[in-house]
């Protein structure tokens, strides 16, 4: 990755140009950068060389110009955007995208906080609420509870009235408790699959082991939802999950997020009301985006990493 001066983009018909105040980073950024796993290469527009030249799928900023036919936004509007379906481009001073990619930023939510919500927040919301169908009173286990998606998943499950157990390293235990986990399991000291507890829903953000290991701790009628992690175990869940589910009263599923402005509005409203706290681990300036990506790749980030512009 290199820092360059490029021409300021001009909005096409139906697009708006946003002056970026902050950009959120996500695992998708380093997957697209590295071209790994191979499944992301068609998403990046090329098997051997990416066509996406500027990464950054989550932004918060101010509408700076509007293209022909745009009536939903005016210059000066404060917006938040999820751009993974619209060419990315958020790691820059300005970005152009279709008007429908953006939602209004509530005044109570600072730009740097709003910028980290879209991808991780929508992923967690759809995994917990929609795919996992979490309900009040259920026991929910979040594996990888201290990461970007995991911290959202813990809070969303709690907001839905579930009893939440988070799996993380001991150094992150206090942070995971502070965002609402009722119980925390330190994976460096204990194997959660051997502790004798069962859960109605398991959200596996880490996927450092086969989903088959979790079968004994999925309660009757329970659900296991794999969100992300090691490609080997992701592929296994995609292929074997439906077969194992068909022979059991438990379901084992693989989940892929679908961009949704309705869900983004819901998450921003929850944040404005104090029901959701999108924790930020580190801030980086635009010229240090490569360092931010390297830090993400360590898998040691507690919460989210934001680029300040």
């Amino acid at each position: 990755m290199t820092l360059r001066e490029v021409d300021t983009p001009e909005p096409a018909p139906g697009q708006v140009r946003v002056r970026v105040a902050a950009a959120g980073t996500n695992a998708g950024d380093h997957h697209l950068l590295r071209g790994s796993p191979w499944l992301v290469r068609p998403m990046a527009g090329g098997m051997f060389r990416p066509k996406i030249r500027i990464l950054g799928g989550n932004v918060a900023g101010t509408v700076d110009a509007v293209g022909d036919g745009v009536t939903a936004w005016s210059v000066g509007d404060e917006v938040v955007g999820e751009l993974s379906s619209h060419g990315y481009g958020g790691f820059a001073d300005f970005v152009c995208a279709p008007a429908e990619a953006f939602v209004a930023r509530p005044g109570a939510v600072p730009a740097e906080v709003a910028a980290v919500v879209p991808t991780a927040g929508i992923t967690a919301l759809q995994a917990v609420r929609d795919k996992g169908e979490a309900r009040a009173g259920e026991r929910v286990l979040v594996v990888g509870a201290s990461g970007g998606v995991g911290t959202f998943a813990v809070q969303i499950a709690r907001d839905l009235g579930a009893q939440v157990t988070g799996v993380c390293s001991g150094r992150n235990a206090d942070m995971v408790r502070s965002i609402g986990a009722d119980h925390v399991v330190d994976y460096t000291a204990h194997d959660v699959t051997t502790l004798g507890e069962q859960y109605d829903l398991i959200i596996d953000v880490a996927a450092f082991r086969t989903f088959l290991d979790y079968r004994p701790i999925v309660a009757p009628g329970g659900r296991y939802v794999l969100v992300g992690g090691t490609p080997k175990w992701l592929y296994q869940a995609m292929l074997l999950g439906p077969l194992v589910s068909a022979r059991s009263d438990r379901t084992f599923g693989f989940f892929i997020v679908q961009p949704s402005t309705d869900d983004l509005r819901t998450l921003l409203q929850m944040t404005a009301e104090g029901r959701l706290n999108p924790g930020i681990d580190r801030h980086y300036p635009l010229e240090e985006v490569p360092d931010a990506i390297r830090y993400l790749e360590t898998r040691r980030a507690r919460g989210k990493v934001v680029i300040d512009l």
Side-chain angles (χ1 to χ4, degrees), residues 205-230:
V205 183
F208 287 131
R209 62 198 299 177
T210 171
F211 78 92
L212 298 172
D213 289 347
Y214 292 100
R215 284 193 299 174
I217 65 170
V218 179
R223 293 86 63 203
Y224 169 94
V225 178
L226 182 59
V227 177
T230 307

Side-chain angles (χ1 to χ4, degrees), residues 60 80 103-122 124-125 148 151-153 155-156 159 179 262-280 304:
V80 183
V103 302
R105 175 171 67 84
V109 182
E112 64 270 21
V113 173
V116 303
V117 170
T119 297
I122 295 171
L125 183 65
T151 53
F152 280 101
Q155 296 178 77
I156 290 167
D159 190 73
I179 60 173
D262 287 340
D263 287 345
L264 180 53
R265 290 188 189 93
T266 295
L267 292 159
L268 291 171
Q269 186 61 35
M270 291 173 65
T271 304
E273 294 172 355
R275 296 157 53 200
L276 192 62
N277 178 22
I280 297 174
K304 297 296 294 177

Side-chain angles (χ1 to χ4, degrees), residues 119-178:
T119 297
I122 295 171
T123 300
L125 183 65
Q126 293 180 1
V128 174
R129 182 195 64 187
D130 301 337
K131 182 71 173 181
E133 299 181 341
R135 294 180 287 272
E138 288 194 321
R139 297 157 296 173
V140 175
L141 180 72
V142 179
V143 182
S146 61
V149 175
T151 53
F152 280 101
V154 168
Q155 296 178 77
I156 290 167
R158 279 287 294 171
D159 190 73
L160 291 171
Q163 181 184 102
V164 183
T165 298
V167 178
C168 62
S169 65
R171 76 184 187 96
N172 296 326
D174 288 342
M175 184 271 285
V176 172
R177 288 191 186 93
S178 73

Side-chain angles (χ1 to χ4, degrees), residues 13-294:
Q15 290 188 331
V16 297
R17 183 174 68 203
V18 171
R19 180 187 290 271
V20 181
T25 63
N26 295 284
D29 294 313
H30 68 77
H31 289 315
L32 288 172
L33 175 63
R34 303 296 189 188
S36 175
W38 275 74
L39 281 179
V40 307
R41 295 194 176 207
M43 297 167 56
M47 292 300 292
F48 302 103
R49 184 176 182 178
K51 294 182 180 179
I52 295 174
R53 309 306 297 168
I54 303 175
L55 294 175
N58 296 173
V59 298
T62 307
V63 174
D64 175 74
V66 297
D68 291 342
V70 174
T71 58
W73 303 110
S74 301
V75 172
D77 287 343
E78 298 292 335
V79 295
V80 183
E82 207 289 327
L83 310 180
S84 63
S85 299
H86 305 287
Y88 289 78
F91 296 156
D93 292 306
F94 296 92
V95 63
C96 289
E100 60 268 20
F102 299 96
V103 302
R105 175 171 67 84
V109 182
E112 64 270 21
V113 173
V116 303
V117 170
T119 297
I122 295 171
T123 300
L125 183 65
Q126 293 180 1
V128 174
R129 182 195 64 187
D130 301 337
K131 182 71 173 181
E133 299 181 341
R135 294 180 287 272
E138 288 194 321
R139 297 157 296 173
V140 175
L141 180 72
V142 179
V143 182
S146 61
V149 175
T151 53
F152 280 101
V154 168
Q155 296 178 77
I156 290 167
R158 279 287 294 171
D159 190 73
L160 291 171
Q163 181 184 102
V164 183
T165 298
V167 178
C168 62
S169 65
R171 76 184 187 96
N172 296 326
D174 288 342
M175 184 271 285
V176 172
R177 288 191 186 93
S178 73
I179 60 173
D182 299 284
H183 310 284
V184 176
V185 176
D186 176 1
Y187 70 81
T188 67
H190 303 285
D191 181 348
V192 70
T193 67
T194 65
L195 297 180
E197 299 290 336
Q198 287 193 320
Y199 301 92
D200 302 294
L201 172 63
I202 297 176
I203 301 294
D204 189 358
V205 183
F208 287 131
R209 62 198 299 177
T210 171
F211 78 92
L212 298 172
D213 289 347
Y214 292 100
R215 284 193 299 174
I217 65 170
V218 179
R223 293 86 63 203
Y224 169 94
V225 178
L226 182 59
V227 177
T230 307
K232 174 182 178 181
W233 303 129
L234 291 173
Y235 299 148
Q236 184 202 61
M238 291 171 63
L239 295 172
L240 297 183
L243 298 177
V244 175
S245 300
R247 299 184 177 185
S248 171
D249 62 348
R250 300 156 173 87
T251 59
F252 300 85
F254 174 76
F255 168 78
I256 298 177
V257 64
Q258 299 297 319
S260 168
T261 51
D262 287 340
D263 287 345
L264 180 53
R265 290 188 189 93
T266 295
L267 292 159
L268 291 171
Q269 186 61 35
M270 291 173 65
T271 304
E273 294 172 355
R275 296 157 53 200
L276 192 62
N277 178 22
I280 297 174
D281 183 358
R282 294 190 182 184
H283 295 251
Y284 289 86
L286 182 61
E287 60 268 23
E288 294 179 11
V289 164
D291 293 328
I293 299 297
R294 291 187 189 101

